[in-house]
Amino acid sequence: MIKFLDLYKINQNHKKELLQAFERVLDSGWYIMGNELKQFESNFAVYCGVKHAIGVANGLDALILIIRAYKELGLFKDGDEIIVPANTYIASILAISANNLVPILVEPDLSSYNIDSKLIEEKITDKTVAILPVHLYGQLCDMNAILEIAKKYNLKVIEDCAQSHGATNEDGTRAGNFGDAAGFSFYPGKNLGALGDAGAITTNDDKLANTLRALLNYGSHEKYKNKYKGINSRLDELQAALLSVKLEKLDQETEARREVAERYLAEINNDKLILPKINFRKSHVWHLFVLRTVERDRLYQYLLSNNIQTVIHYPIPPNKQEAYIEWSDLSYPISEQIHSEVISLPISPVISASDVSEVIRVLNEFK
């Protein structure tokens, strides 16, 4: 079986360094909010090109905390609206709802699967406070257009970078350094994956960063003194140490992903399949290689019968989820089409050339 993602093999490439990091944390006797966290935050801030990287427990908390911090700073309030793509993973939307703000769904561009910047302005109202672009599947959104709109209407931009670690535009700006703040996930299957749940926030805003550091730690800057009704969302020392190890090889592993994706793009030749499109090579880090077909379910079974494991990201659009039953009568035809047609192929820094060739061969023989 050609695995969709072989996490065992990926982490075996780092085994020696990961074990050394584990022993370092174990022997330190300090497991929460210590030097390993400080070092990873510093390393990740430099990597993203930002002033602040703030470790948190997971990617959803990262987004929730950013919005919560803006509420504490008096910039957002209950009932305000945040624009978000209609075809994102539901976490992007949950972060808005969790803060008692209103998600406003905008259809994606069918060629990139990212939010269609041309449709954003028509959804802006006097309650709109932010745009939350999601760099879906690993490709940057049209950030120049989004930032221009945000400036015109005085809106915050909160990037969802859960799938886009290291994605870069033409001038070298990385994901997480376009907007006012950004949330990252280090879920094990991400391009930069922990060995458990983990996340981070990046920002260049000193006041926001200071507020976030309190909110994630029970609302406290100083032990036993609580300024806010905060939560516990701390990135522990062990995950921080392991992430520092893996961050060193992130660009190398991203390049390996790009090479696999480029083979798929060049060698898959089947008019039943719609391949992804990219605008700029480094703008896509290929967290997922997603193609579309109207015969998605049959293709899924066909590939499985040929010992190729695939995943569907995502089978149900947010407006059809039971959690958002109030949206069930709303129509987002482009999003719904995407969710009914997409299928993700095996891609990782450890997939073999022969396995890539086999995936290509089987896809080209799909009839």
Side-chain angles (χ1 to χ4, degrees):
M1 175 69 73
I2 298 174
K3 290 186 177 181
F4 172 73
L5 182 65
D6 192 337
L7 288 178
Y8 171 81
K9 194 171 181 180
I10 288 172
N11 288 317
Q12 284 297 303
N13 283 346
H14 306 280
K15 184 174 180 178
K16 179 181 177 181
E17 294 83 1
L18 291 173
L19 288 173
Q20 289 172 345
F22 174 80
E23 288 189 359
R24 188 171 67 246
V25 173
L26 179 65
D27 293 345
S28 74
W30 192 285
Y31 308 119
I32 296 288
M33 298 185 77
N35 290 330
E36 297 291 347
L37 175 61
K38 290 177 183 176
Q39 188 61 58
F40 173 70
E41 289 179 335
S42 176
N43 294 344
F44 196 62
V46 170
Y47 180 81
C48 294
V50 297
K51 289 178 67 175
H52 304 281
I54 302 160
V56 295
N58 55 70
L60 175 57
D61 278 5
L63 295 175
I64 288 174
L65 283 163
I66 292 167
I67 299 169
R68 170 73 187 283
Y70 279 130
K71 290 183 74 177
E72 295 292 351
L73 291 169
L75 300 176
F76 296 175
K77 63 182 183 303
D78 288 1
D80 282 344
E81 298 173 350
I82 295 180
I83 289 171
V84 65
N87 64 314
T88 185
Y89 181 60
I90 202 167
S92 314
I93 296 168
L94 290 173
I96 301 169
S97 301
N99 281 288
N100 295 317
L101 274 73
V102 180
I104 301 298
L105 305 185
V106 172
E107 288 270 57
D109 181 328
L110 192 56
S111 65
S112 70
Y113 308 123
N114 283 330
I115 191 168
D116 189 337
S117 58
K118 298 186 296 297
L119 302 179
I120 291 174
E121 281 196 80
E122 65 188 47
K123 294 294 185 78
I124 293 173
T125 72
D126 58 2
K127 292 185 177 182
T128 307
V129 291
I131 305 169
L132 200 161
V134 181
H135 306 304
L136 199 63
Y137 308 148
Q139 179 162 219
L140 290 178
C141 295
D142 182 359
M143 292 308 299
N144 289 338
I146 290 170
L147 292 170
E148 187 176 325
I149 293 167
K151 183 177 180 181
K152 179 179 178 180
Y153 292 93
N154 193 30
L155 307 176
K156 295 296 183 184
V157 174
I158 302 167
E159 295 174 75
D160 185 335
C161 300
Q163 301 184 3
S164 61
H165 315 71
T168 308
N169 74 354
E170 290 91 335
D171 69 9
T173 304
R174 288 193 192 268
N177 193 19
F178 290 98
D180 297 280
F184 286 83
S185 169
F186 305 126
Y187 179 79
K190 303 298 186 183
N191 291 26
L192 179 59
L195 272 68
D197 264 326
I201 297 164
T202 58
T203 184
N204 292 304
D205 184 331
D206 296 340
K207 194 171 184 179
L208 179 68
N210 188 54
T211 305
L212 286 163
R213 290 196 180 280
L215 284 173
L216 66 87
N217 186 37
Y218 298 99
S220 174
H221 287 114
E222 183 180 348
K223 196 169 185 178
Y224 302 130
K225 293 184 178 180
N226 301 81
K227 184 174 182 179
Y228 308 107
K229 297 173 183 175
I231 63 171
N232 175 6
S233 183
R234 300 177 298 205
L235 176 60
D236 67 69
E237 287 288 279
L238 179 57
Q239 296 301 340
L242 301 178
L243 285 164
S244 286
V245 168
K246 298 184 74 175
L247 180 60
E248 292 183 10
K249 298 288 182 66
L250 177 57
D251 285 346
Q252 178 181 325
E253 293 188 345
T254 298
E255 190 60 27
R257 287 176 176 272
R258 288 189 178 119
E259 290 171 4
V260 174
E262 285 163 1
R263 283 201 62 194
Y264 283 155
L265 291 170
E267 299 176 40
I268 295 172
N269 184 18
N270 187 325
D271 59 12
K272 286 182 174 288
L273 309 177
I274 300 170
L275 300 179
K277 296 178 181 178
I278 58 172
N279 296 320
F280 174 67
R281 187 177 188 269
K282 289 189 176 181
S283 71
H284 207 319
V285 295
W286 298 105
H287 172 59
L288 300 172
F289 188 98
V290 178
L291 55 77
R292 289 182 16 243
T293 175
V294 294
E295 299 184 69
R296 192 266 306 283
D297 294 342
R298 188 168 73 85
L299 177 61
Y300 176 87
Q301 292 298 329
Y302 166 78
L303 290 169
L304 193 60
S305 70
N306 281 276
N307 294 312
I308 298 171
Q309 185 182 53
T310 59
V311 176
I312 296 169
H313 296 92
Y314 305 96
I316 305 173
N319 65 300
K320 298 300 181 184
Q321 295 285 357
E322 187 175 352
Y324 288 97
I325 192 72
E326 65 271 24
W327 292 342
S328 60
D329 292 334
L330 301 180
S331 177
Y332 296 93
I334 297 174
S335 293
E336 290 162 23
Q337 178 184 352
I338 289 170
H339 284 267
S340 69
E341 294 180 353
V342 291
I343 186 168
S344 300
L345 302 185
I347 188 168
S348 79
V350 297
I351 188 172
S352 68
S354 59
D355 281 351
V356 174
S357 295
E358 177 65 4
V359 173
I360 293 166
R361 182 192 69 78
V362 171
L363 284 168
N364 285 341
E365 292 179 1
F366 179 63
K367 297 178 181 179

